[in-house]
Amino acid sequence: MNLCRVFLWGLALSTSGQTFATYPERAIKLIVPFAAGGGTDLVARVIGGAMTNELHQTVIIENKPGGSTIIGTDALAKSAPDGYTLVMATFAHAVNPSLKTKLPYNQDKDFAPVCLIGISPNVLVVSAASPYQSVKELLEAVKANPGKFSYASQGSGTSAHLAGELFASLTGAKLLHVPYKGAAPALTDLMGRQVDIMFATASAVGNLIEAGKLRALAVTTTDRSTSPVLAKVPTIAESGVPGYSAGSWYGVFAPAGTPKEIIAQLNAAITKGALSSSFKNQVESEGLVIKTGTPEDFAQFEKTEELRWRTVIKDGHITED
């Protein structure tokens, strides 16, 4: 920990109880480690609006994309632990330590969990022209033709890639992974049947499913989606793959050393905002299942995610390349 960080931490810890009582006294910055316009950006902006209402201070969204979320996450790690800089973390936060040979921050020491917001499913989809109507039919075909079925992803180490790797591991299916530079080209080839399946994010495929261009066979979470487009789609676990669970989650971290009183205020504001009907209505397209709790709950959840995906990544010999 550098001297500047130590000074800032000490300054925060020496803050009087009166300051805690008046927090926040200025705008709060919520870093989104992705470009504007995506699913994470949407969730951040909607929860930021809810936090603004609860805390009576503006929550400013700052997009810092790049490095598989590392650029934005590192910016948080180097920020003052005073409650005025936060990050909207995702699934990538838990898998980066296993995919990257070196990180510019300490995963275990530089972050303070604030609150889990929710878990969004990936969706096992095929082209509308595909003959497969269920996971059972797909698995029968895959096992009858080992190594001849391909699955697309928006890149190595992404949620779509690891969801496919977990599926192959639990079913014994031999699938060929085809990584693309983004979801759009992957979905284009999926619809054209250049690839067979994809474990795509709900936000990327909702409109395509609704338009009849893709067929949803199952969702990857343990619970069915609340999204109107996906509500009748079964989970992979209930479709014959017990124990399967792979969700894209959203949660907020602060820098390590942020006073517990401030963490508690932020957790209360985020929880109330996430449980509001306004928030739920605006994130329906994400198929988000709201899952809040204490900072300790979020810490345990993130560590569990980190450990279980480490096993999948190691067993699958997955790298970031």
Side-chain angles (χ1 to χ4, degrees):
M1 186 179 293
N2 58 41
L3 291 176
C4 180
R5 181 67 183 274
V6 171
F7 171 76
L8 291 169
W9 191 350
L11 186 63
L13 291 175
S14 67
T15 306
S16 68
Q18 183 178 2
T19 301
F20 292 146
T22 57
Y23 170 87
E25 296 181 300
R26 54 186 170 86
I28 297 168
K29 179 169 64 178
L30 178 57
I31 297 170
V32 176
F34 294 93
T40 307
D41 186 63
L42 170 65
V43 173
R45 290 180 188 279
V46 179
I47 202 66
M51 291 171 66
T52 295
N53 293 334
E54 294 301 320
L55 297 170
H56 306 292
Q57 286 288 350
T58 302
V59 175
I60 300 169
I61 305 301
E62 182 174 307
N63 297 93
K64 282 185 173 293
S68 300
T69 76
I70 290 173
I71 291 175
T73 304
D74 188 44
L76 177 80
K78 293 176 170 57
S79 297
D82 55 10
Y84 289 100
T85 306
L86 310 169
V87 74
M88 178 62 74
T90 67
F91 170 88
H93 187 87
V95 302
N96 277 337
S98 298
L99 288 173
K100 309 293 182 181
T101 55
K102 186 177 181 181
L103 292 171
Y105 48 78
N106 187 308
Q107 180 86 351
D108 297 321
K109 296 181 179 180
D110 287 347
F111 306 105
V114 177
C115 193
L116 178 67
I117 294 173
I119 304 172
S120 180
N122 282 36
V123 188
L124 172 52
V125 286
V126 296
S127 167
S130 169
Y132 308 112
Q133 302 288 331
S134 67
V135 173
K136 181 181 178 181
E137 289 182 7
L138 174 67
L139 270 175
E140 288 175 350
V142 169
K143 290 184 176 182
N145 300 276
K148 294 184 179 180
F149 277 72
S150 58
Y151 75 98
S153 80
Q154 62 268 40
S156 294
T158 60
S159 62
H161 179 196
L162 296 181
E165 190 66 33
L166 181 62
F167 182 81
S169 173
L170 292 178
T171 62
K174 295 187 182 300
L175 297 169
L176 174 65
H177 174 228
V178 183
Y180 287 77
K181 293 182 178 180
L187 290 168
T188 297
D189 277 4
L190 177 65
M191 289 184 284
R193 301 187 68 184
Q194 278 76 41
V195 286
D196 298 297
I197 62 176
M198 185 171 178
F199 296 81
T201 60
S203 59
V205 297
N207 290 338
L208 296 172
I209 294 168
E210 197 167 22
K213 296 180 179 180
L214 291 175
R215 179 183 304 126
L217 301 186
V219 295
T220 63
T221 41
T222 53
D223 299 316
R224 288 196 181 195
S225 173
T226 56
S227 164
V229 177
L230 300 171
K232 295 182 180 180
V233 178
T235 67
I236 289 179
E238 69 181 285
S239 299
V241 190
Y244 187 96
S245 175
S248 298
W249 52 265
Y250 304 95
V252 174
F253 284 95
T258 302
K260 290 184 178 180
E261 293 88 344
I262 290 178
I263 294 288
Q265 279 185 263
L266 289 167
N267 177 274
I270 293 168
T271 298
K272 189 171 181 180
L275 295 176
S276 69
S277 58
S278 174
F279 180 79
K280 292 178 182 179
N281 290 339
Q282 291 184 75
V283 298
E284 274 190 338
S285 63
E286 290 293 292
L288 195 69
V289 176
I290 307 301
K291 297 277 188 182
T292 59
T294 66
E296 292 76 19
D297 292 335
F298 184 29
Q300 183 176 0
F301 171 85
E302 193 281 332
K303 182 52 66 175
T304 299
E305 283 284 279
E306 190 177 328
L307 293 175
R308 80 184 186 95
W309 287 115
R310 181 180 299 165
T311 300
V312 173
I313 290 166
K314 181 179 178 181
D315 292 348
H317 306 288
I318 298 169
T319 67
E320 60 183 305
D321 299 324

